[in-house]
Amino acid sequence: AASRAAAALAVAVAMVLGGGAAPAMAIPDELPPGSLFVDEAGGTPRPTAALIEKSLAGLEKGTGKKVHMVLTRTIGPEDVQELAEEYFGKYGLGENDLLVLAVEKTAVAGVAPVTALPDGETTARSIGEQTFKAKASDESYGGALLDVLNRLVPILKGEADPGPPVIERESAAGNFKDKGETRGGRGKYIAVVGGLLVVSAVVPMVQYYWYVKDD
């Protein structure tokens, strides 16, 4: 009995020390043929994923530039911008390609190659740490990628960089209301929130088609 217990303990220790741990990174070694969007994390709703894929295909048709987007759960301690550059080469991408490597856990992204962007790495990091992060921080990863795409479209068409989104935050001071104001505004609030949900889904595509409609 003692020997069996010792053997079981040895197996348990070996399992803890030697295996079963999830890899730090989950970035595909190859890009799947015929697809421009890879959701390695698996959390993007199907309609949103289809919208991203369709938008990327439209961008390629309108500009001749092929943007590949890879969304992964985590990458460990590595710098995402450096990884984007590394995987751009690993995937064998060329001068008409662009790689966006986005990470859910840290809500940041890398864009490669930086030579395809105005101001190089400064713009790449702005896209990854401001444009993508604005919605990714709220776990809206599909919306964040569409925002990245909307920023890349004019850049790839040789137009001015529209820059990161402007986030306005109101001060809490002076925003208190009495009960009458609260009751009167509740119905308006519900209507506005419903409207915003629709707008947040429609605006990215309206922006996108506005950019490419002349091509």
Side-chain angles (χ1 to χ4, degrees):
S3 61
R4 287 197 298 269
L9 178 61
V11 170
V13 170
M15 290 177 63
V16 171
L17 296 179
M25 291 190 294
I27 304 174
D29 291 330
E30 297 179 351
L31 293 175
S35 180
L36 295 173
F37 175 51
V38 180
D39 180 10
E40 199 71 14
T44 307
R46 186 174 298 177
T48 305
L51 181 59
I52 293 172
E53 188 77 52
K54 185 176 181 180
S55 300
L56 292 171
L59 174 61
E60 181 184 7
K61 182 178 180 180
T63 66
K65 304 292 184 180
K66 185 180 290 188
V67 177
H68 307 265
M69 287 185 164
V70 177
L71 178 63
T72 184
R73 173 60 184 159
T74 184
I75 59 171
E78 287 81 2
D79 179 77
V80 66
Q81 180 58 42
E82 293 178 1
L83 275 178
E85 295 284 354
E86 176 185 335
Y87 274 82
F88 182 88
K90 186 173 183 178
Y91 291 151
L93 301 179
E95 61 180 9
N96 289 325
D97 294 297
L98 201 71
L99 174 65
V100 177
L101 176 61
V103 186
E104 286 189 356
K105 188 174 182 179
T106 53
V108 294
V111 184
V114 296
T115 53
L117 304 173
D119 296 325
E121 187 173 342
T122 299
T123 301
R125 291 195 178 274
S126 173
I127 291 172
E129 298 171 8
Q130 294 177 292
T131 303
F132 178 74
K133 195 177 189 70
K135 288 183 179 175
S137 296
D138 294 326
E139 299 184 0
S140 178
Y141 305 111
L145 288 173
L146 286 171
D147 283 351
V148 168
L149 180 58
N150 282 327
R151 184 171 176 183
L152 286 174
V153 167
I155 291 175
L156 296 179
K157 293 184 70 176
E159 300 171 4
D161 177 11
V166 177
I167 302 175
E168 297 181 358
R169 302 184 185 278
E170 292 185 5
S171 171
N175 287 336
F176 296 101
K177 298 180 179 180
D178 59 31
K179 292 183 179 179
E181 290 177 312
T182 301
R183 284 194 299 269
R186 187 172 297 159
K188 293 181 180 179
Y189 172 79
I190 294 173
V192 168
V193 169
L196 287 176
L197 289 174
V198 174
V199 169
S200 66
V202 173
V203 165
M205 282 308 298
V206 171
Q207 291 175 324
Y208 170 74
Y209 283 114
W210 175 260
Y211 284 131
V212 301
K213 66 183 179 67
D214 295 327
D215 293 310

